Amino acid sequence: LHDALPIWMLERADANRDGVITREEFRAAAMRMFDRQDTNKDGRIDAAERQQSRQQRMERRDRQQAD
């Protein structure tokens, strides 16, 4: 299911851990993700920022698998 969000993303969005994700929690989680990827803080995520984010995720995954 490519259109479904990963479970861990949804779990992180549930800020108060009540088992329910409100629209506000979902939006806040999406904004945090956007802000992390918008490294130059211009309000846009360009191809270089997407590539950098992808590379960082791959490096984290590789470190986790090595442990």
Side-chain angles (χ1 to χ4, degrees):
L1 296 172
H2 291 284
D3 58 346
L5 289 174
I7 296 297
W8 63 267
M9 288 179 79
L10 293 174
E11 289 172 349
R12 286 185 183 175
D14 185 9
N16 61 3
R17 304 290 184 240
D18 65 353
V20 176
I21 300 169
T22 65
R23 183 182 309 267
E24 292 78 20
E25 287 173 321
F26 187 87
R27 285 181 178 158
M31 289 303 297
R32 286 190 302 272
M33 183 174 20
F34 185 93
D35 289 343
R36 268 194 314 274
Q37 292 188 32
D38 182 19
T39 57
N40 64 4
K41 305 302 180 205
D42 67 352
R44 300 167 34 180
I45 300 172
D46 61 28
E49 289 167 317
R50 287 193 308 272
Q51 178 61 32
Q52 179 183 10
S53 178
R54 186 177 308 114
Q55 182 65 34
Q56 289 170 343
R57 283 193 314 271
M58 291 171 58
E59 289 170 2
R60 277 193 306 271
R61 185 196 64 213
D62 291 345
R63 281 193 306 270
Q64 289 172 346
Q65 289 176 348
D67 291 339

